[in-house]
Amino acid sequence: MTEKLDLLIARAEQLMARIEAILPQALSEPDWNEAIAWRYRRRARGGCALEPVRHVAALQLEDLKEIEPQKEKIRRNTEQFVAGKPANNVLLTGARGTGKSSLIKACLNAYAPQGLRLIEVDKGDLTDLPDIVEVVAQRPEKFIVFCDDLSFDEANLATRRSSPSSMARWLPPRPTCSSTPRATGATCCPST
């Protein structure tokens, strides 16, 4: 009887190991010393990962022309953020090619020495934002969650459900700021 039970337990353990191998794995922390930016990626077999971006564009804030008011608002807000002071969540708006992504990359380069980091998330993966926040919540660095080409059209209901107002519920609470800076190309939204 013991021999049959041992055989059954061994087979059950083998089966469980095979099942666990195909189940999605929880997001784990990357080696934070590898990079200043990461991409959140879902795996074909399930699970997800933060992959280091090894070559961040070498843009500097001074390289960006004709967007001085937006740069100044982003600069002030980012300085507050990396200093651990109240800061606004930021939503940059504008037509394609107006420098929104370049502004974020230049800001990352400027403030990385003070602990600023970036995680790029595809718009289809914004529903996984709570998992990302859980991984970075206790880190000493300050993280920008960057979603390029975010649109809010009728055809993309998942993105609409993950709009900035609904994403705010996944973010840790922040003190509210007294004003909301607004400018063409850059809108800063206070967290709720």
Side-chain angles (χ1 to χ4, degrees):
M1 179 78 170
T2 306
E3 185 176 317
K4 287 183 178 182
L5 183 59
D6 289 342
L7 181 61
L8 180 63
I9 291 172
R11 290 198 47 134
E13 287 174 347
Q14 290 173 346
L15 180 60
M16 287 181 4
R18 290 176 65 191
I19 291 171
E20 287 175 352
I22 62 172
L23 290 175
Q25 301 298 311
L27 180 62
S28 61
E29 288 195 36
D31 178 355
W32 295 111
N33 296 317
E34 274 189 87
I36 60 171
W38 290 267
R39 283 189 186 94
Y40 177 80
R41 295 283 189 243
R42 286 194 187 180
R43 301 287 185 218
R45 294 187 65 183
C48 47
L50 289 172
E51 298 174 350
V53 176
R54 305 222 188 269
H55 305 286
V56 176
L59 291 167
Q60 301 300 314
L61 288 167
E62 298 75 30
D63 298 337
L64 306 175
K65 308 297 181 200
E66 306 297 325
I67 57 168
E68 298 308 318
Q70 293 86 350
K71 282 196 307 189
E72 184 53 34
K73 288 176 183 176
I74 294 292
R75 187 188 319 257
R76 275 195 325 260
N77 193 60
T78 304
E79 287 171 359
Q80 292 279 111
F81 181 55
V82 297
K85 296 179 181 175
N88 292 317
N89 293 323
V90 176
L91 175 66
L92 297 177
T93 62
R96 289 183 189 263
T98 56
K100 300 176 299 292
S101 298
S102 296
L103 182 56
I104 296 302
K105 291 170 188 169
C107 206
L108 174 64
N109 289 325
Y111 294 98
Q114 288 100 322
L116 187 64
R117 300 294 182 263
L118 181 138
I119 297 174
E120 183 176 356
V121 180
D122 289 336
K123 63 183 173 183
D125 295 333
L126 286 174
T127 54
D128 294 343
L129 191 55
D131 298 330
I132 297 168
V133 170
E134 186 175 319
V135 169
V136 301
Q138 301 303 314
R139 298 289 311 165
E141 302 90 347
K142 303 294 182 182
F143 289 84
I144 294 173
V145 175
F146 173 68
C147 183
D148 203 7
D149 197 25
L150 182 63
S151 60
F152 300 100
D153 57 5
E154 289 297 322
N156 193 336
L157 296 177
T159 300
R160 287 175 16 125
R161 287 189 191 109
S162 298
S163 67
S165 61
S166 65
M167 284 189 282
R169 74 174 182 259
W170 297 321
L171 301 174
R174 281 209 156 105
T176 58
C177 297
S178 60
S179 65
T180 302
R182 297 183 183 273
T184 304
T187 303
C188 299
C189 306
S191 57
T192 53

